[in-house]
């Protein structure tokens, strides 16, 4: 067996654990446009299509590429308003946290939910057509669960938005 084949066999045996510069370039390209043909991706990263395709499949199989999705322009589909909601829990208990998780999952308008350290316990990002709709979401939310405090901030301008993660730190 040649050295390269041995390296590939060893890597397959131990699983995907190293992301090299080529993988990072592939991820950068895919994060910009996951619909590109493999031949185009391969050309951009300096590979031939077959090894590029194998690398993409390995990134998918390992979970580095979790899924490929379509990014929808929220303004064009009538949800231009973004509201950030800071949540203070009434108590720090597992049952309240689980109830909160279930409530959040039931609201399609809540597109992100983060548990935080500091003064705020959770941060929600909500997208809606307008403030009246946000108020209806707010009313549904407080009807389902007790909160110590909810504080909303309406986004005035989207200065930067990306779903791409930086690949410069990947090892």
């Amino acid at each position: 067996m040649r050295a390269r084949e041995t390296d590939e066999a060893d890597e397959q045996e131990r699983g995907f654990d190293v992301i090299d510069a080529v993988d990072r370039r592939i991820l950068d390209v895919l994060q910009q446009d996951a619909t590109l043909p493999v031949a185009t991706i391969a050309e951009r990263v300096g590979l031939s299509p077959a090894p590029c395709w194998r690398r993409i499949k390995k990134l998918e199989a390992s979970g580095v590429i979790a899924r490929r999705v379509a990014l929808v322009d929220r303004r064009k589909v009538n949800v231009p308003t973004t509201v950030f909601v800071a949540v203070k829990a009434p108590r720090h208990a597992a049952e309240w946290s689980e109830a909160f998780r279930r409530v959040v999952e039931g609201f399609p308008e809540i597109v992100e939910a983060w548990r935080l350290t500091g003064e705020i316990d959770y941060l929600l990002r909500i997208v809606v057509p307008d403030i009246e709709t946000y108020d209806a979401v707010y009313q549904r939310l407080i009807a389902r669960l007790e909160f110590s405090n909810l504080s909303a901030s309406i986004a005035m301008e989207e200065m930067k938005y990306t779903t791409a993660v930086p690949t410069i730190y990947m090892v």
Side-chain angles (χ1 to χ4, degrees):
M1 197 181 291
R2 293 187 326 227
R4 181 183 168 145
E5 290 172 350
T6 303
D7 290 344
E8 287 178 5
D10 289 345
E11 189 173 282
Q12 286 177 351
E13 186 176 301
R14 69 174 189 273
F16 193 91
D17 58 358
V18 176
I19 296 177
D20 65 13
V22 175
D23 292 328
R24 287 193 295 274
R25 289 195 307 268
I26 289 170
L27 290 170
D28 286 335
V29 170
L30 286 173
Q31 287 187 101
Q32 293 305 310
D33 187 353
T35 66
L36 291 173
V38 172
T40 303
I41 298 166
E43 182 180 312
R44 290 187 184 176
V45 303
L47 288 176
S48 59
C52 183
W53 179 83
R54 283 193 298 272
R55 283 176 176 259
I56 291 169
K57 289 299 169 193
K58 193 182 300 183
L59 289 164
E60 289 174 334
S62 69
V64 172
I65 297 174
R67 63 181 189 255
R68 299 187 198 193
V69 299
L71 299 178
V72 177
D73 184 328
R74 61 186 172 74
R75 290 169 197 85
K76 292 184 179 180
V77 294
N78 194 38
V79 286
T81 304
T82 298
V83 182
F84 293 95
V85 178
V87 176
K88 287 196 76 157
R91 59 194 173 283
H92 294 98
E95 70 272 359
W96 189 91
S97 183
E98 271 309 307
F100 179 69
R101 184 181 303 272
R102 285 190 304 273
V103 167
V104 165
E105 288 172 356
F107 281 73
E109 300 91 347
I110 300 173
V111 295
E112 291 184 58
W114 297 87
R115 187 169 60 87
L116 308 175
T117 63
E119 294 294 314
I120 298 168
D121 297 313
Y122 300 90
L123 182 65
L124 307 177
R125 184 168 73 93
I126 299 174
V127 295
V128 289
D130 49 42
I131 298 308
E132 292 78 19
T133 305
Y134 165 70
D135 186 49
V137 169
Y138 169 81
Q139 295 299 329
R140 288 181 9 238
L141 191 59
I142 64 172
R144 286 176 174 74
L145 200 58
E146 176 190 357
F147 297 93
S148 178
N149 189 31
L150 293 177
S151 175
S153 297
I154 301 163
M156 301 297 289
E157 176 185 6
E158 183 178 282
M159 297 175 68
K160 180 179 180 178
Y161 172 79
T162 183
T163 60
V165 299
T167 59
I168 58 174
Y169 302 105
M170 295 180 184
V171 291

